[in-house]
Amino acid sequence: TGVRLQQDAKVAAAIAGATGTLTATGDTLVTALRYGKAALSTVGIRATAVHIHPTDAALADIEAMTSGHTGPDGVPTLWGMTVVENPAVPEGTPIVGAMRDAVYHLYRSAISTYITDSGMTNEATPRDRFSHNLLGILGEGRSRVHVVQPGLLVKCTVTVPVP
């Protein structure tokens, strides 16, 4: 889980730090998201995904249900865009875009996992891990996220603060 959160944070940081992105605002979260999709559609680009904080995703679901639309049907999409709940995205600022074209996620190596029962623990009185049935686990991966076409991303904001 920690590796996944680190990858989510890398993606969010790369997108948030990109210059040259489009912007869209709306009076509600759902309106801002729809304007973000429209901003790309007007230049002939199909928005494929929205990176959104999990709290904002819940607010979008509730807003859709309370406005007379049907609730979530188990498929995490909004107007054909895949919803990527990313806790590293700041609340109130979802990012709509053609993610496959705008963002490259380069992997130098796959995620590797190492497990051992040898060595010592980090306690003041060292004990052998093997005799105490303890395992040490290390997971690592090398990757980099790079925004290659920031004009294919739309940073959305809500004009009225989200409660």
Side-chain angles (χ1 to χ4, degrees), residues 28-83:
T28 66
L29 186 63
V30 172
T31 305
L33 290 171
R34 188 60 185 95
Y35 284 150
K37 181 176 171 39
L40 288 176
S41 295
T42 57
V43 293
I45 303 297
R46 182 178 172 271
T48 57
V50 54
H51 278 254
I52 188 169
H53 191 275
T55 305
D56 291 339
L59 288 172
D61 286 343
I62 293 167
E63 188 177 329
M65 288 187 292
T66 57
S67 64
H69 297 90
T70 58
D73 58 0
V75 180
T77 62
L78 289 169
W79 302 287
M81 298 182 296
T82 302
V83 176

Side-chain angles (χ1 to χ4, degrees), residues 7 10-11 104-111 141-145:
Q7 295 298 330
K10 282 184 181 181
V11 171
Y104 285 175
H105 199 160
L106 307 169
Y107 295 93
R108 182 172 179 185
S109 65
I111 296 174
R142 293 183 179 184
S143 67
R144 178 188 167 129
V145 179

Side-chain angles (χ1 to χ4, degrees), residues 2-15:
V3 173
R4 171 65 193 265
L5 291 176
Q6 288 176 352
Q7 295 298 330
D8 288 348
K10 282 184 181 181
V11 171
I15 293 172

Side-chain angles (χ1 to χ4, degrees), residues 61-140:
D61 286 343
I62 293 167
E63 188 177 329
M65 288 187 292
T66 57
S67 64
H69 297 90
T70 58
D73 58 0
V75 180
T77 62
L78 289 169
W79 302 287
M81 298 182 296
T82 302
V83 176
V84 179
E85 292 187 23
N86 186 341
V89 173
E91 287 187 53
T93 58
I95 301 155
V96 172
M99 298 297 175
R100 288 190 181 108
D101 297 326
V103 181
Y104 285 175
H105 199 160
L106 307 169
Y107 295 93
R108 182 172 179 185
S109 65
I111 296 174
S112 302
T113 305
Y114 306 98
I115 301 174
T116 182
D117 62 358
S118 64
M120 307 301 261
T121 62
N122 292 330
E123 297 177 5
T125 57
R127 296 180 288 180
D128 184 37
R129 288 183 178 184
F130 178 77
S131 62
H132 292 281
N133 200 22
L134 297 173
L135 295 174
I137 301 174
L138 169 69
E140 68 178 8

